[in-house]
Amino acid sequence: MTLQVDSLWLPYAQMKTVPSPYRVVRAEGVKLYLDDGTQLIDGISSWWCVIHGYNHPVLNKAVQEQLVKFAHVMLGGLVNDSAIELANTLVRITPSGLNHVFFGDSGSVGVEIALKMAIQFWRNKGFLQKSRFVALRRGYHGDTTGAMSVSDDDEGMHRLFKGVILSQYFVDAPGGDNIESSECQASLNQLDSLLQSNNSEIAALILEPVFQGAGGFRFYPPEYLFQARKLCDKYEVLLIFDEVATGFGRTGTLFAADHASVTPDIMVLSKALTGGYFGLSATIATNQIYESFLGDDPELAFMHGPTFMGNAVACAAALASIKLIETENYLSKIKVIEQILRQEIQGLEGTSLCDARVLGAIGVLEFECPSNLMGLKEFALNRGVWLRPYGKWLYTMPPYVIDENDLRQITSVMKEWVSYQNKRI
Ligand SMILES: Cc1ncc(COP(=O)(O)O)c(C=O)c1O
C-alpha cells in the first residue's frame, strides 16, 4: 500500500523525493511485519535501541504494572519509585564515581543537560570564561543546537549551521589499532596543545567513547580515553562521555568506558536505556560536579527540568531492561554476535568496499561513496532484512536477542551486496 505521508514530516528526508515508508503493523522479537505481509529481520534495532527485540513480555509486564498505578507525575516536588530505583541502579552499574542521575527525555536532551551542567559547574566555582567545548572530528551528539555545535561541523550532517550556532573546538578523531597509531598520537597532540592554549575558556571535552556512530561508524583504541582523561585532569577541563549509542553493551562491555576503566565527570545514556520502549535519558555526574551546585545561594542550583523527566513508565521499562541484561547475561550474547560478525564480514574485500570492521554487536562495511549503497534498502528488503545504510556506511547493530540464523541472514545480505557491487563494475 502506498502511504500518503504529507502531513507526517519524516526524519532526515527530502520530502519531495523520499520514497514511501513501509508500514509496520506488528513487531515481535527481531521481526517487523509490514501491512503487505512482508516479514523483516531488523538489522539495526530501530536506530540501535531495541536491544531485547520487539514486544518483549518482560518489558510489557513492567510497563503494564506501572501503567495501572499511573503513567507520569512531575519530578518537581513529587517523585515516583521507578525513578528512584532506576537512579540507584544506574549509579550501581555505571563506572564507579558517577553518583548523581539527572533524567531527560532523549539522547540530544541528555547531551544538552551535560553541556549546561559542565558550564555551570565552572561558573559556580567562579570561572565565568569556561563555557566552550572541545569535541572530536567525526563525532555526532544529536540534533538540538548545543548537541549540533559539538558534532563535526565540517563533515557532519549539521554543517549547514556552521557559523550560525555556537562555535566549538575540534581535534582530529583518533583511530588505528592501538594508542601508538599516528591517528591517536596526532589527536592527543592536538588536544594537548589546544587545552594548553585555551583551557581558560574550555569547560569540557565531549566524545563518544571507543565507537563514533553517525559521524562515521568508526572504532578507536580505548587507551585513548585514558590519555584524554589525563590531559583533561592536567588542564582542568571536564570530560563528558556520550554513551547514548555505546551504553548497555553495544561495544562488548556494558559501557564503552569499561574498556579503559575510565570514569568521566559526566556520562550520558539514552537509546537502549529503556530497551527501546520510550524516550528517556540519564545524565550522570560525579560528586565533584554535583557538590558544586550545593550552597545557600539559589543561583547555584541547576535550573533545568524537562516536563517528562523521570517518567514512571519509561523508568519502569528501563529497570526491567537492565534486569534482563544482568540476569540473562547479555554480555555473553553480545560476544556470540561479535564472533559471528567477525567470521562473516570482518576483513571482507570487494569493489568499492574500503573497510569491513566489527566490534561488539556492531558490524560495518564502509564503501567509497554513498552512491555505492543506492538501492541497498530494497535489495535487503527483498531478502527479508531491514537495513538502512547511512552515507557510505552499511552497518548492522542487531537486537542482542537475535539467533544465529537470523544474524547470518543479515550478514549474507551484506555480503551479497558486496558481490553485487563486484559484478556491477
Ligand atoms: C552518540 C549519540 N549521541 C546523541 C544522540 C542523539 O540521541 P536522540 O536521537 O535520542 O536525540 C545520538 C543519536 O543517534 C547518538 O548516536
Side-chain angles (χ1 to χ4, degrees):
M1 184 175 107
T2 310
L3 284 179
Q4 269 302 331
V5 290
D6 291 359
S7 52
L8 181 62
W9 199 333
L10 300 169
Y12 309 119
Q14 172 45 260
M15 292 304 291
K16 188 169 175 191
T17 52
V18 66
S20 206
Y22 304 98
R23 184 155 163 255
V24 176
V25 290
R26 192 161 77 85
E28 187 92 39
V30 300
K31 295 261 174 69
L32 302 167
Y33 297 85
L34 305 187
D35 56 349
D36 65 359
T38 307
Q39 290 185 27
L40 298 172
I41 301 163
D42 183 357
I44 53 173
S45 311
S46 275
W47 275 333
W48 330 338
C49 63
V50 183
I51 55 174
H52 311 285
Y54 298 91
N55 212 356
H56 195 289
V58 173
L59 293 188
N60 289 359
K61 182 161 174 280
V63 167
Q64 279 152 4
E65 282 175 4
Q66 178 61 51
L67 261 183
V68 293
K69 293 185 216 155
F70 56 89
H72 179 68
V73 293
M74 66 193 284
L75 222 58
L78 302 174
V79 78
N80 68 77
D81 288 346
S82 298
I84 297 172
E85 197 184 334
L86 180 58
N88 288 335
T89 304
L90 290 173
V91 166
R92 174 173 63 77
I93 65 174
T94 51
S96 122
L98 291 167
N99 291 334
H100 306 277
V101 181
F102 199 98
F103 288 118
D105 31 35
S106 68
S108 301
V109 169
V111 168
E112 295 292 338
I113 292 168
L115 301 179
K116 184 169 165 182
M117 205 178 256
I119 293 175
Q120 195 175 340
F121 166 81
W122 290 114
R123 292 188 82 81
N124 285 356
K125 289 172 126 353
F127 295 90
L128 304 187
Q129 301 299 319
K130 281 169 88 70
S131 58
R132 293 181 69 190
F133 294 90
V134 189
L136 301 184
R137 290 258 163 242
R138 321 290 286 274
Y140 170 79
H141 297 284
D143 294 347
T144 50
T145 49
M148 281 160 64
S149 80
V150 288
S151 303
D152 191 326
D153 60 355
D154 279 341
E155 292 194 26
M157 68 172 98
H158 302 309
R159 55 190 178 275
L160 170 72
F161 293 87
K162 187 169 180 157
V164 180
I165 52 173
L166 289 171
S167 136
Q168 313 289 11
Y169 292 104
F170 289 91
V171 294
D172 285 346
D177 291 335
N178 60 56
I179 192 68
E180 302 305 333
S181 72
S182 56
E183 286 154 296
C184 279
Q185 290 304 310
S187 180
L188 288 168
N189 290 339
Q190 283 175 28
L191 186 60
D192 195 339
S193 52
L194 185 76
L195 294 183
Q196 189 171 36
S197 315
N198 303 289
N199 70 336
S200 61
E201 60 169 30
I202 294 177
L205 164 67
I206 179 167
L207 50 79
E208 297 154 274
V210 180
F211 169 61
Q212 294 185 293
F217 296 90
R218 308 174 70 252
F219 308 126
Y220 64 86
E223 296 78 18
Y224 181 89
L225 304 176
F226 185 73
Q227 298 301 334
R229 172 79 271 179
K230 281 213 307 210
L231 289 174
C232 286
D233 291 345
K234 178 173 168 193
Y235 293 112
E236 299 193 314
V237 160
L238 299 178
L239 180 59
I240 302 171
F241 282 178
D242 175 352
E243 293 234 21
V244 168
T246 53
F248 302 101
R250 190 51 75 180
T251 65
T253 50
L254 193 54
F255 300 100
D258 299 340
H259 285 286
S261 304
V262 168
T263 300
D265 298 290
I266 304 173
M267 176 187 267
V268 187
L269 302 172
S270 189
K271 285 201 186 278
L273 172 57
T274 62
Y277 265 49
F278 302 99
L280 181 71
S281 65
T283 301
I284 315 177
T286 59
N287 290 350
Q288 188 204 7
I289 301 290
Y290 178 76
E291 282 161 14
S292 76
F293 289 79
L294 306 180
D296 296 328
D297 180 356
E299 293 285 305
L300 291 175
F302 193 43
M303 297 307 287
H304 204 93
T307 304
F308 288 104
M309 73 181 288
N311 174 273
V313 180
C315 290
L319 280 167
S321 171
I322 294 168
K323 200 163 169 196
L324 275 177
I325 292 172
E326 291 188 317
T327 55
E328 298 195 1
N329 195 0
Y330 269 49
L331 290 183
S332 67
K333 289 187 204 297
I334 294 161
K335 193 94 260 100
V336 173
I337 294 174
E338 179 171 29
Q339 279 160 359
I340 295 172
L341 289 176
R342 284 195 194 282
Q343 274 169 19
E344 295 290 337
I345 61 170
Q346 171 123 315
L348 205 65
E349 290 179 0
T351 309
S352 317
L353 182 63
C354 303
D355 192 28
R357 47 185 181 260
V358 171
L359 182 71
I362 309 168
V364 184
L365 301 184
E366 178 171 331
F367 288 84
E368 278 166 7
C369 56
S371 63
N372 298 135
L373 288 163
M374 256 170 60
L376 177 278
K377 208 164 58 181
E378 295 69 28
F379 181 91
L381 208 96
N382 291 332
R383 289 158 180 77
V385 171
W386 175 241
L387 289 170
R388 189 177 188 273
Y390 177 71
K392 58 184 181 177
W393 300 281
L394 170 58
Y395 69 92
T396 181
M397 291 167 69
Y400 303 151
V401 294
I402 195 161
D403 69 23
E404 185 170 339
N405 284 343
D406 286 343
L407 184 57
R408 289 195 196 274
Q409 176 70 14
I410 295 172
T411 53
S412 79
V413 169
M414 294 170 81
K415 288 195 294 192
E416 223 188 304
W417 181 258
V418 173
S419 319
Y420 175 64
Q421 293 293 309
N422 293 345
K423 282 186 210 130
R424 281 218 295 198
I425 299 297

